[in-house]
Amino acid sequence: MASETMNEQTFLVLTVLAEETLHGYAIVRAVGELTEDRVRLRVGTLYGVLDRLVASGLVEHDRDEVHQGRLRRYYRLTNEGARALHAEIARLESNARAAATRLRAWGFEGGPA
């Protein structure tokens, strides 16, 4: 996955896991907070993303805990996941610089309005 373009959900899950080990519902909340609720992950979407990330070695299962009678599975970013996130950040920054350069020709300066 490191050589592929990441979709937004994958990027955001890796981003929140770069800060701390989290369980599923906490990942959903953290993504909402990070994006100011612009992105709201559904549980089914989240676990599909996590399954793919675990299978590709970018995220790993950390531990399970029982909280109020329910099992919480915690996930953490791997070193490979950190490298993939870093590469995606570099790709996005490069694309943003190229777009900003072209927009300046139209008289747009600075960041997003």
mmCIF file of all heavy atoms in Angstrom, residues 56-108:
data_model
loop_
_atom_site.group_PDB
_atom_site.id
_atom_site.type_symbol
_atom_site.label_atom_id
_atom_site.label_comp_id
_atom_site.label_asym_id
_atom_site.label_seq_id
_atom_site.Cartn_x
_atom_site.Cartn_y
_atom_site.Cartn_z
ATOM 1 N N SER A 56 -2.037 -5.420 5.301
ATOM 2 C CA SER A 56 -0.889 -4.857 4.595
ATOM 3 C C SER A 56 0.268 -4.511 5.536
ATOM 4 O O SER A 56 1.313 -4.043 5.082
ATOM 5 C CB SER A 56 -1.306 -3.627 3.791
ATOM 6 O OG SER A 56 -1.768 -2.608 4.651
ATOM 7 N N GLY A 57 0.074 -4.717 6.837
ATOM 8 C CA GLY A 57 1.153 -4.484 7.790
ATOM 9 C C GLY A 57 1.350 -3.040 8.221
ATOM 10 O O GLY A 57 2.344 -2.719 8.861
ATOM 11 N N LEU A 58 0.396 -2.171 7.900
ATOM 12 C CA LEU A 58 0.523 -0.765 8.266
ATOM 13 C C LEU A 58 -0.006 -0.484 9.673
ATOM 14 O O LEU A 58 0.374 0.499 10.307
ATOM 15 C CB LEU A 58 -0.188 0.119 7.246
ATOM 16 C CG LEU A 58 0.289 -0.023 5.794
ATOM 17 C CD1 LEU A 58 -0.457 0.937 4.888
ATOM 18 C CD2 LEU A 58 1.785 0.171 5.686
ATOM 19 N N VAL A 59 -0.881 -1.344 10.132
ATOM 20 C CA VAL A 59 -1.486 -1.257 11.461
ATOM 21 C C VAL A 59 -1.479 -2.661 12.036
ATOM 22 O O VAL A 59 -1.543 -3.642 11.296
ATOM 23 C CB VAL A 59 -2.937 -0.709 11.356
ATOM 24 C CG1 VAL A 59 -3.716 -0.885 12.644
ATOM 25 C CG2 VAL A 59 -2.935 0.755 10.943
ATOM 26 N N GLU A 60 -1.389 -2.753 13.366
ATOM 27 C CA GLU A 60 -1.464 -4.070 13.997
ATOM 28 C C GLU A 60 -2.361 -4.021 15.219
ATOM 29 O O GLU A 60 -2.564 -2.954 15.821
ATOM 30 C CB GLU A 60 -0.079 -4.597 14.349
ATOM 31 C CG GLU A 60 0.679 -3.783 15.349
ATOM 32 C CD GLU A 60 2.129 -4.237 15.502
ATOM 33 O OE1 GLU A 60 2.581 -5.116 14.756
ATOM 34 O OE2 GLU A 60 2.797 -3.681 16.390
ATOM 35 N N HIS A 61 -2.875 -5.190 15.543
ATOM 36 C CA HIS A 61 -3.689 -5.349 16.744
ATOM 37 C C HIS A 61 -2.775 -5.173 17.948
ATOM 38 O O HIS A 61 -1.692 -5.755 17.994
ATOM 39 C CB HIS A 61 -4.329 -6.740 16.717
ATOM 40 C CG HIS A 61 -5.020 -7.122 17.969
ATOM 41 N ND1 HIS A 61 -4.545 -8.104 18.786
ATOM 42 C CD2 HIS A 61 -6.142 -6.639 18.548
ATOM 43 C CE1 HIS A 61 -5.347 -8.228 19.825
ATOM 44 N NE2 HIS A 61 -6.322 -7.353 19.708
ATOM 45 N N ASP A 62 -3.168 -4.350 18.883
ATOM 46 C CA ASP A 62 -2.366 -4.093 20.069
ATOM 47 C C ASP A 62 -2.825 -4.960 21.239
ATOM 48 O O ASP A 62 -2.036 -5.668 21.831
ATOM 49 C CB ASP A 62 -2.440 -2.608 20.450
ATOM 50 C CG ASP A 62 -1.582 -2.263 21.649
ATOM 51 O OD1 ASP A 62 -0.345 -2.294 21.499
ATOM 52 O OD2 ASP A 62 -2.141 -1.983 22.728
ATOM 53 N N ARG A 63 -4.116 -4.877 21.558
ATOM 54 C CA ARG A 63 -4.643 -5.641 22.686
ATOM 55 C C ARG A 63 -6.163 -5.608 22.636
ATOM 56 O O ARG A 63 -6.751 -4.808 21.905
ATOM 57 C CB ARG A 63 -4.170 -5.047 24.010
ATOM 58 C CG ARG A 63 -4.744 -3.683 24.316
ATOM 59 C CD ARG A 63 -4.143 -3.053 25.565
ATOM 60 N NE ARG A 63 -4.747 -1.777 25.889
ATOM 61 C CZ ARG A 63 -4.466 -0.627 25.318
ATOM 62 N NH1 ARG A 63 -3.583 -0.579 24.333
ATOM 63 N NH2 ARG A 63 -5.058 0.483 25.695
ATOM 64 N N ASP A 64 -6.785 -6.459 23.437
ATOM 65 C CA ASP A 64 -8.226 -6.449 23.630
ATOM 66 C C ASP A 64 -8.503 -6.129 25.087
ATOM 67 O O ASP A 64 -7.767 -6.571 25.976
ATOM 68 C CB ASP A 64 -8.848 -7.809 23.302
ATOM 69 C CG ASP A 64 -8.775 -8.154 21.831
ATOM 70 O OD1 ASP A 64 -8.835 -7.233 21.001
ATOM 71 O OD2 ASP A 64 -8.669 -9.350 21.512
ATOM 72 N N GLU A 65 -9.543 -5.354 25.321
ATOM 73 C CA GLU A 65 -9.994 -5.049 26.683
ATOM 74 C C GLU A 65 -11.501 -5.171 26.723
ATOM 75 O O GLU A 65 -12.179 -4.869 25.742
ATOM 76 C CB GLU A 65 -9.617 -3.620 27.090
ATOM 77 C CG GLU A 65 -8.152 -3.397 27.318
ATOM 78 C CD GLU A 65 -7.832 -1.962 27.752
ATOM 79 O OE1 GLU A 65 -8.776 -1.149 27.934
ATOM 80 O OE2 GLU A 65 -6.641 -1.669 27.887
ATOM 81 N N VAL A 66 -12.008 -5.612 27.846
ATOM 82 C CA VAL A 66 -13.449 -5.640 28.049
ATOM 83 C C VAL A 66 -13.815 -4.393 28.835
ATOM 84 O O VAL A 66 -13.248 -4.109 29.888
ATOM 85 C CB VAL A 66 -13.891 -6.917 28.799
ATOM 86 C CG1 VAL A 66 -15.385 -6.882 29.073
ATOM 87 C CG2 VAL A 66 -13.511 -8.155 27.996
ATOM 88 N N HIS A 67 -14.750 -3.629 28.286
ATOM 89 C CA HIS A 67 -15.212 -2.389 28.918
ATOM 90 C C HIS A 67 -16.731 -2.446 28.978
ATOM 91 O O HIS A 67 -17.383 -2.535 27.944
ATOM 92 C CB HIS A 67 -14.740 -1.175 28.109
ATOM 93 C CG HIS A 67 -15.213 0.127 28.657
ATOM 94 N ND1 HIS A 67 -14.701 0.686 29.796
ATOM 95 C CD2 HIS A 67 -16.181 0.978 28.227
ATOM 96 C CE1 HIS A 67 -15.304 1.827 30.042
ATOM 97 N NE2 HIS A 67 -16.208 2.027 29.098
ATOM 98 N N GLN A 68 -17.292 -2.412 30.162
ATOM 99 C CA GLN A 68 -18.736 -2.496 30.365
ATOM 100 C C GLN A 68 -19.337 -3.678 29.612
ATOM 101 O O GLN A 68 -20.361 -3.566 28.958
ATOM 102 C CB GLN A 68 -19.404 -1.180 29.962
ATOM 103 C CG GLN A 68 -18.959 -0.007 30.807
ATOM 104 C CD GLN A 68 -19.608 1.300 30.402
ATOM 105 O OE1 GLN A 68 -20.193 1.422 29.323
ATOM 106 N NE2 GLN A 68 -19.489 2.298 31.263
ATOM 107 N N GLY A 69 -18.649 -4.808 29.715
ATOM 108 C CA GLY A 69 -19.135 -6.042 29.111
ATOM 109 C C GLY A 69 -18.933 -6.174 27.615
ATOM 110 O O GLY A 69 -19.341 -7.162 27.016
ATOM 111 N N ARG A 70 -18.299 -5.192 26.990
ATOM 112 C CA ARG A 70 -18.075 -5.239 25.541
ATOM 113 C C ARG A 70 -16.582 -5.291 25.260
ATOM 114 O O ARG A 70 -15.790 -4.624 25.926
ATOM 115 C CB ARG A 70 -18.684 -4.009 24.870
ATOM 116 C CG ARG A 70 -20.191 -3.937 25.129
ATOM 117 C CD ARG A 70 -20.850 -2.957 24.250
ATOM 118 N NE ARG A 70 -20.912 -3.530 22.916
ATOM 119 C CZ ARG A 70 -21.246 -2.858 21.845
ATOM 120 N NH1 ARG A 70 -21.533 -1.589 21.922
ATOM 121 N NH2 ARG A 70 -21.284 -3.430 20.661
ATOM 122 N N LEU A 71 -16.241 -6.058 24.257
ATOM 123 C CA LEU A 71 -14.843 -6.197 23.865
ATOM 124 C C LEU A 71 -14.406 -4.984 23.048
ATOM 125 O O LEU A 71 -15.090 -4.582 22.108
ATOM 126 C CB LEU A 71 -14.651 -7.464 23.024
ATOM 127 C CG LEU A 71 -13.231 -7.750 22.551
ATOM 128 C CD1 LEU A 71 -12.334 -8.055 23.746
ATOM 129 C CD2 LEU A 71 -13.228 -8.897 21.563
ATOM 130 N N ARG A 72 -13.279 -4.406 23.432
ATOM 131 C CA ARG A 72 -12.662 -3.333 22.654
ATOM 132 C C ARG A 72 -11.337 -3.847 22.120
ATOM 133 O O ARG A 72 -10.486 -4.286 22.871
ATOM 134 C CB ARG A 72 -12.390 -2.108 23.539
ATOM 135 C CG ARG A 72 -13.599 -1.326 23.883
ATOM 136 C CD ARG A 72 -13.202 -0.103 24.672
ATOM 137 N NE ARG A 72 -14.340 0.776 24.860
ATOM 138 C CZ ARG A 72 -14.320 1.839 25.619
ATOM 139 N NH1 ARG A 72 -13.210 2.175 26.282
ATOM 140 N NH2 ARG A 72 -15.387 2.593 25.737
ATOM 141 N N ARG A 73 -11.176 -3.762 20.819
ATOM 142 C CA ARG A 73 -9.931 -4.158 20.178
ATOM 143 C C ARG A 73 -9.153 -2.893 19.853
ATOM 144 O O ARG A 73 -9.657 -2.001 19.188
ATOM 145 C CB ARG A 73 -10.206 -4.949 18.912
ATOM 146 C CG ARG A 73 -8.935 -5.319 18.165
ATOM 147 C CD ARG A 73 -9.144 -6.486 17.271
ATOM 148 N NE ARG A 73 -9.164 -7.654 18.136
ATOM 149 C CZ ARG A 73 -9.289 -8.896 17.705
ATOM 150 N NH1 ARG A 73 -9.424 -9.138 16.432
ATOM 151 N NH2 ARG A 73 -9.290 -9.899 18.554
ATOM 152 N N TYR A 74 -7.929 -2.832 20.340
ATOM 153 C CA TYR A 74 -7.069 -1.665 20.134
ATOM 154 C C TYR A 74 -6.099 -1.910 18.985
ATOM 155 O O TYR A 74 -5.600 -3.030 18.813
ATOM 156 C CB TYR A 74 -6.283 -1.351 21.411
ATOM 157 C CG TYR A 74 -7.130 -0.723 22.488
ATOM 158 C CD1 TYR A 74 -8.003 -1.482 23.250
ATOM 159 C CD2 TYR A 74 -7.055 0.642 22.731
ATOM 160 C CE1 TYR A 74 -8.785 -0.904 24.237
ATOM 161 C CE2 TYR A 74 -7.837 1.239 23.718
ATOM 162 C CZ TYR A 74 -8.700 0.459 24.459
ATOM 163 O OH TYR A 74 -9.467 1.046 25.437
ATOM 164 N N TYR A 75 -5.830 -0.856 18.236
ATOM 165 C CA TYR A 75 -4.933 -0.909 17.083
ATOM 166 C C TYR A 75 -3.833 0.120 17.242
ATOM 167 O O TYR A 75 -4.027 1.174 17.833
ATOM 168 C CB TYR A 75 -5.710 -0.622 15.793
ATOM 169 C CG TYR A 75 -6.759 -1.659 15.511
ATOM 170 C CD1 TYR A 75 -8.046 -1.523 16.015
ATOM 171 C CD2 TYR A 75 -6.457 -2.793 14.766
ATOM 172 C CE1 TYR A 75 -9.016 -2.481 15.771
ATOM 173 C CE2 TYR A 75 -7.420 -3.759 14.512
ATOM 174 C CZ TYR A 75 -8.697 -3.597 15.018
ATOM 175 O OH TYR A 75 -9.653 -4.549 14.789
ATOM 176 N N ARG A 76 -2.679 -0.192 16.655
ATOM 177 C CA ARG A 76 -1.564 0.760 16.676
ATOM 178 C C ARG A 76 -0.896 0.794 15.303
ATOM 179 O O ARG A 76 -0.937 -0.171 14.531
ATOM 180 C CB ARG A 76 -0.559 0.420 17.760
ATOM 181 C CG ARG A 76 0.237 -0.824 17.489
ATOM 182 C CD ARG A 76 1.344 -1.011 18.536
ATOM 183 N NE ARG A 76 1.859 -2.356 18.411
ATOM 184 C CZ ARG A 76 1.817 -3.258 19.380
ATOM 185 N NH1 ARG A 76 1.298 -2.968 20.540
ATOM 186 N NH2 ARG A 76 2.311 -4.451 19.169
ATOM 187 N N LEU A 77 -0.277 1.918 15.027
ATOM 188 C CA LEU A 77 0.474 2.132 13.796
ATOM 189 C C LEU A 77 1.779 1.343 13.873
ATOM 190 O O LEU A 77 2.426 1.300 14.917
ATOM 191 C CB LEU A 77 0.770 3.628 13.660
ATOM 192 C CG LEU A 77 1.363 4.130 12.363
ATOM 193 C CD1 LEU A 77 0.348 3.987 11.238
ATOM 194 C CD2 LEU A 77 1.749 5.596 12.513
ATOM 195 N N THR A 78 2.170 0.719 12.779
ATOM 196 C CA THR A 78 3.464 0.039 12.706
ATOM 197 C C THR A 78 4.498 0.995 12.112
ATOM 198 O O THR A 78 4.154 2.072 11.599
ATOM 199 C CB THR A 78 3.384 -1.212 11.813
ATOM 200 O OG1 THR A 78 3.064 -0.796 10.472
ATOM 201 C CG2 THR A 78 2.335 -2.213 12.312
ATOM 202 N N ASN A 79 5.752 0.592 12.156
ATOM 203 C CA ASN A 79 6.802 1.397 11.513
ATOM 204 C C ASN A 79 6.524 1.543 10.024
ATOM 205 O O ASN A 79 6.714 2.620 9.449
ATOM 206 C CB ASN A 79 8.176 0.770 11.740
ATOM 207 C CG ASN A 79 8.642 0.920 13.169
ATOM 208 O OD1 ASN A 79 8.214 1.814 13.893
ATOM 209 N ND2 ASN A 79 9.528 0.034 13.599
ATOM 210 N N GLU A 80 6.073 0.465 9.397
ATOM 211 C CA GLU A 80 5.738 0.526 7.963
ATOM 212 C C GLU A 80 4.568 1.483 7.728
ATOM 213 O O GLU A 80 4.540 2.222 6.749
ATOM 214 C CB GLU A 80 5.406 -0.869 7.432
ATOM 215 C CG GLU A 80 5.137 -0.916 5.943
ATOM 216 C CD GLU A 80 6.314 -0.473 5.076
ATOM 217 O OE1 GLU A 80 7.470 -0.627 5.490
ATOM 218 O OE2 GLU A 80 6.051 0.035 3.964
ATOM 219 N N GLY A 81 3.609 1.491 8.645
ATOM 220 C CA GLY A 81 2.483 2.424 8.549
ATOM 221 C C GLY A 81 2.935 3.864 8.658
ATOM 222 O O GLY A 81 2.453 4.740 7.934
ATOM 223 N N ALA A 82 3.883 4.125 9.561
ATOM 224 C CA ALA A 82 4.425 5.481 9.709
ATOM 225 C C ALA A 82 5.145 5.899 8.433
ATOM 226 O O ALA A 82 5.011 7.047 7.979
ATOM 227 C CB ALA A 82 5.361 5.548 10.908
ATOM 228 N N ARG A 83 5.899 4.986 7.834
ATOM 229 C CA ARG A 83 6.587 5.302 6.577
ATOM 230 C C ARG A 83 5.586 5.578 5.453
ATOM 231 O O ARG A 83 5.759 6.515 4.666
ATOM 232 C CB ARG A 83 7.536 4.172 6.185
ATOM 233 C CG ARG A 83 8.823 4.147 6.984
ATOM 234 C CD ARG A 83 9.845 3.177 6.409
ATOM 235 N NE ARG A 83 9.476 1.796 6.648
ATOM 236 C CZ ARG A 83 9.733 1.118 7.775
ATOM 237 N NH1 ARG A 83 10.354 1.715 8.761
ATOM 238 N NH2 ARG A 83 9.359 -0.125 7.902
ATOM 239 N N ALA A 84 4.522 4.774 5.392
ATOM 240 C CA ALA A 84 3.507 4.978 4.353
ATOM 241 C C ALA A 84 2.790 6.312 4.551
ATOM 242 O O ALA A 84 2.529 7.032 3.586
ATOM 243 C CB ALA A 84 2.507 3.823 4.371
ATOM 244 N N LEU A 85 2.489 6.656 5.790
ATOM 245 C CA LEU A 85 1.840 7.940 6.079
ATOM 246 C C LEU A 85 2.760 9.090 5.703
ATOM 247 O O LEU A 85 2.332 10.066 5.075
ATOM 248 C CB LEU A 85 1.445 8.008 7.551
ATOM 249 C CG LEU A 85 0.728 9.280 8.010
ATOM 250 C CD1 LEU A 85 -0.559 9.520 7.215
ATOM 251 C CD2 LEU A 85 0.431 9.201 9.506
ATOM 252 N N HIS A 86 4.023 8.968 6.034
ATOM 253 C CA HIS A 86 5.005 10.005 5.680
ATOM 254 C C HIS A 86 5.076 10.186 4.162
ATOM 255 O O HIS A 86 5.093 11.319 3.653
ATOM 256 C CB HIS A 86 6.374 9.627 6.251
ATOM 257 C CG HIS A 86 7.407 10.673 6.031
ATOM 258 N ND1 HIS A 86 8.250 10.676 4.940
ATOM 259 C CD2 HIS A 86 7.722 11.771 6.754
ATOM 260 C CE1 HIS A 86 9.038 11.721 5.004
ATOM 261 N NE2 HIS A 86 8.747 12.405 6.091
ATOM 262 N N ALA A 87 5.110 9.089 3.429
ATOM 263 C CA ALA A 87 5.167 9.155 1.965
ATOM 264 C C ALA A 87 3.910 9.812 1.393
ATOM 265 O O ALA A 87 3.983 10.612 0.448
ATOM 266 C CB ALA A 87 5.355 7.759 1.372
ATOM 267 N N GLU A 88 2.762 9.499 1.978
ATOM 268 C CA GLU A 88 1.512 10.096 1.488
ATOM 269 C C GLU A 88 1.467 11.587 1.789
ATOM 270 O O GLU A 88 1.011 12.385 0.956
ATOM 271 C CB GLU A 88 0.301 9.383 2.102
ATOM 272 C CG GLU A 88 -1.030 9.880 1.598
ATOM 273 C CD GLU A 88 -1.305 9.620 0.130
ATOM 274 O OE1 GLU A 88 -0.482 8.985 -0.570
ATOM 275 O OE2 GLU A 88 -2.363 10.064 -0.355
ATOM 276 N N ILE A 89 1.959 11.998 2.944
ATOM 277 C CA ILE A 89 2.030 13.424 3.269
ATOM 278 C C ILE A 89 2.903 14.150 2.246
ATOM 279 O O ILE A 89 2.533 15.206 1.744
ATOM 280 C CB ILE A 89 2.563 13.626 4.704
ATOM 281 C CG1 ILE A 89 1.532 13.152 5.723
ATOM 282 C CG2 ILE A 89 2.940 15.092 4.945
ATOM 283 C CD1 ILE A 89 2.093 12.992 7.129
ATOM 284 N N ALA A 90 4.046 13.575 1.919
ATOM 285 C CA ALA A 90 4.945 14.186 0.928
ATOM 286 C C ALA A 90 4.262 14.297 -0.435
ATOM 287 O O ALA A 90 4.380 15.323 -1.118
ATOM 288 C CB ALA A 90 6.239 13.380 0.825
ATOM 289 N N ARG A 91 3.522 13.262 -0.833
ATOM 290 C CA ARG A 91 2.814 13.269 -2.112
ATOM 291 C C ARG A 91 1.759 14.375 -2.128
ATOM 292 O O ARG A 91 1.664 15.147 -3.086
ATOM 293 C CB ARG A 91 2.166 11.908 -2.372
ATOM 294 C CG ARG A 91 1.518 11.783 -3.748
ATOM 295 C CD ARG A 91 0.699 10.499 -3.853
ATOM 296 N NE ARG A 91 -0.535 10.588 -3.093
ATOM 297 C CZ ARG A 91 -1.632 11.243 -3.498
ATOM 298 N NH1 ARG A 91 -1.638 11.869 -4.667
ATOM 299 N NH2 ARG A 91 -2.713 11.268 -2.761
ATOM 300 N N LEU A 92 0.989 14.463 -1.041
ATOM 301 C CA LEU A 92 -0.065 15.480 -0.971
ATOM 302 C C LEU A 92 0.516 16.889 -0.955
ATOM 303 O O LEU A 92 -0.015 17.795 -1.610
ATOM 304 C CB LEU A 92 -0.933 15.251 0.274
ATOM 305 C CG LEU A 92 -1.805 13.995 0.242
ATOM 306 C CD1 LEU A 92 -2.421 13.753 1.622
ATOM 307 C CD2 LEU A 92 -2.864 14.085 -0.832
ATOM 308 N N GLU A 93 1.613 17.090 -0.206
ATOM 309 C CA GLU A 93 2.261 18.409 -0.181
ATOM 310 C C GLU A 93 2.765 18.803 -1.563
ATOM 311 O O GLU A 93 2.622 19.955 -1.979
ATOM 312 C CB GLU A 93 3.408 18.417 0.827
ATOM 313 C CG GLU A 93 2.949 18.425 2.270
ATOM 314 C CD GLU A 93 4.089 18.305 3.269
ATOM 315 O OE1 GLU A 93 5.187 17.816 2.904
ATOM 316 O OE2 GLU A 93 3.879 18.700 4.428
ATOM 317 N N SER A 94 3.348 17.857 -2.278
ATOM 318 C CA SER A 94 3.846 18.129 -3.624
ATOM 319 C C SER A 94 2.704 18.524 -4.556
ATOM 320 O O SER A 94 2.809 19.491 -5.328
ATOM 321 C CB SER A 94 4.582 16.899 -4.155
ATOM 322 O OG SER A 94 4.989 17.107 -5.485
ATOM 323 N N ASN A 95 1.608 17.788 -4.477
ATOM 324 C CA ASN A 95 0.441 18.109 -5.304
ATOM 325 C C ASN A 95 -0.127 19.478 -4.944
ATOM 326 O O ASN A 95 -0.512 20.249 -5.833
ATOM 327 C CB ASN A 95 -0.639 17.041 -5.157
ATOM 328 C CG ASN A 95 -0.269 15.752 -5.840
ATOM 329 O OD1 ASN A 95 0.666 15.685 -6.631
ATOM 330 N ND2 ASN A 95 -0.990 14.686 -5.518
ATOM 331 N N ALA A 96 -0.184 19.790 -3.648
ATOM 332 C CA ALA A 96 -0.716 21.086 -3.218
ATOM 333 C C ALA A 96 0.171 22.231 -3.706
ATOM 334 O O ALA A 96 -0.333 23.275 -4.144
ATOM 335 C CB ALA A 96 -0.852 21.119 -1.698
ATOM 336 N N ARG A 97 1.486 22.049 -3.651
ATOM 337 C CA ARG A 97 2.402 23.086 -4.152
ATOM 338 C C ARG A 97 2.194 23.304 -5.642
ATOM 339 O O ARG A 97 2.156 24.451 -6.116
ATOM 340 C CB ARG A 97 3.858 22.704 -3.878
ATOM 341 C CG ARG A 97 4.325 23.008 -2.477
ATOM 342 C CD ARG A 97 5.832 22.865 -2.328
ATOM 343 N NE ARG A 97 6.344 21.574 -2.760
ATOM 344 C CZ ARG A 97 6.367 20.476 -1.989
ATOM 345 N NH1 ARG A 97 5.912 20.522 -0.750
ATOM 346 N NH2 ARG A 97 6.860 19.347 -2.453
ATOM 347 N N ALA A 98 2.056 22.220 -6.390
ATOM 348 C CA ALA A 98 1.860 22.338 -7.837
ATOM 349 C C ALA A 98 0.549 23.054 -8.147
ATOM 350 O O ALA A 98 0.503 23.933 -9.023
ATOM 351 C CB ALA A 98 1.878 20.950 -8.485
ATOM 352 N N ALA A 99 -0.501 22.726 -7.428
ATOM 353 C CA ALA A 99 -1.796 23.382 -7.653
ATOM 354 C C ALA A 99 -1.723 24.861 -7.290
ATOM 355 O O ALA A 99 -2.236 25.717 -8.022
ATOM 356 C CB ALA A 99 -2.882 22.679 -6.837
ATOM 357 N N ALA A 100 -1.074 25.189 -6.167
ATOM 358 C CA ALA A 100 -0.959 26.586 -5.736
ATOM 359 C C ALA A 100 -0.182 27.407 -6.758
ATOM 360 O O ALA A 100 -0.546 28.553 -7.059
ATOM 361 C CB ALA A 100 -0.292 26.659 -4.363
ATOM 362 N N THR A 101 0.864 26.825 -7.308
ATOM 363 C CA THR A 101 1.656 27.516 -8.325
ATOM 364 C C THR A 101 0.788 27.854 -9.532
ATOM 365 O O THR A 101 0.830 28.973 -10.052
ATOM 366 C CB THR A 101 2.851 26.643 -8.759
ATOM 367 O OG1 THR A 101 3.694 26.449 -7.624
ATOM 368 C CG2 THR A 101 3.637 27.272 -9.883
ATOM 369 N N ARG A 102 -0.023 26.924 -9.961
ATOM 370 C CA ARG A 102 -0.879 27.158 -11.116
ATOM 371 C C ARG A 102 -1.989 28.163 -10.815
ATOM 372 O O ARG A 102 -2.365 28.962 -11.663
ATOM 373 C CB ARG A 102 -1.430 25.838 -11.620
ATOM 374 C CG ARG A 102 -0.364 25.079 -12.416
ATOM 375 C CD ARG A 102 -0.563 23.582 -12.410
ATOM 376 N NE ARG A 102 0.498 22.905 -13.134
ATOM 377 C CZ ARG A 102 1.708 22.640 -12.647
ATOM 378 N NH1 ARG A 102 2.027 23.022 -11.429
ATOM 379 N NH2 ARG A 102 2.610 22.006 -13.363
ATOM 380 N N LEU A 103 -2.517 28.130 -9.580
ATOM 381 C CA LEU A 103 -3.571 29.083 -9.214
ATOM 382 C C LEU A 103 -3.055 30.512 -9.125
ATOM 383 O O LEU A 103 -3.809 31.457 -9.366
ATOM 384 C CB LEU A 103 -4.214 28.686 -7.885
ATOM 385 C CG LEU A 103 -5.317 27.652 -7.976
ATOM 386 C CD1 LEU A 103 -5.801 27.274 -6.582
ATOM 387 C CD2 LEU A 103 -6.474 28.146 -8.825
ATOM 388 N N ARG A 104 -1.784 30.665 -8.779
ATOM 389 C CA ARG A 104 -1.225 32.020 -8.724
ATOM 390 C C ARG A 104 -1.330 32.704 -10.083
ATOM 391 O O ARG A 104 -1.484 33.915 -10.155
ATOM 392 C CB ARG A 104 0.217 31.989 -8.217
ATOM 393 C CG ARG A 104 0.286 31.906 -6.704
ATOM 394 C CD ARG A 104 1.668 32.193 -6.173
ATOM 395 N NE ARG A 104 2.609 31.101 -6.360
ATOM 396 C CZ ARG A 104 2.681 30.022 -5.582
ATOM 397 N NH1 ARG A 104 1.862 29.882 -4.558
ATOM 398 N NH2 ARG A 104 3.563 29.089 -5.821
ATOM 399 N N ALA A 105 -1.261 31.919 -11.157
ATOM 400 C CA ALA A 105 -1.411 32.486 -12.497
ATOM 401 C C ALA A 105 -2.815 33.086 -12.688
ATOM 402 O O ALA A 105 -3.006 33.963 -13.525
ATOM 403 C CB ALA A 105 -1.152 31.419 -13.556
ATOM 404 N N TRP A 106 -3.776 32.655 -11.906
ATOM 405 C CA TRP A 106 -5.145 33.168 -11.952
ATOM 406 C C TRP A 106 -5.350 34.288 -10.937
ATOM 407 O O TRP A 106 -6.462 34.787 -10.773
ATOM 408 C CB TRP A 106 -6.135 32.040 -11.650
ATOM 409 C CG TRP A 106 -6.304 31.090 -12.791
ATOM 410 C CD1 TRP A 106 -5.457 30.079 -13.139
ATOM 411 C CD2 TRP A 106 -7.354 31.069 -13.724
ATOM 412 N NE1 TRP A 106 -5.916 29.433 -14.231
ATOM 413 C CE2 TRP A 106 -7.107 30.017 -14.617
ATOM 414 C CE3 TRP A 106 -8.496 31.830 -13.896
ATOM 415 C CZ2 TRP A 106 -7.963 29.711 -15.666
ATOM 416 C CZ3 TRP A 106 -9.345 31.512 -14.945
ATOM 417 C CH2 TRP A 106 -9.057 30.475 -15.812
ATOM 418 N N GLY A 107 -4.305 34.632 -10.199
ATOM 419 C CA GLY A 107 -4.400 35.719 -9.226
ATOM 420 C C GLY A 107 -4.763 35.276 -7.835
ATOM 421 O O GLY A 107 -5.011 36.100 -6.964
ATOM 422 N N PHE A 108 -4.815 33.978 -7.594
ATOM 423 C CA PHE A 108 -5.101 33.473 -6.257
ATOM 424 C C PHE A 108 -3.808 33.390 -5.466
ATOM 425 O O PHE A 108 -2.864 32.724 -5.878
ATOM 426 C CB PHE A 108 -5.756 32.086 -6.312
ATOM 427 C CG PHE A 108 -7.140 32.077 -6.847
ATOM 428 C CD1 PHE A 108 -7.382 31.874 -8.209
ATOM 429 C CD2 PHE A 108 -8.215 32.283 -6.004
ATOM 430 C CE1 PHE A 108 -8.670 31.867 -8.709
ATOM 431 C CE2 PHE A 108 -9.507 32.277 -6.505
ATOM 432 C CZ PHE A 108 -9.735 32.083 -7.854
#
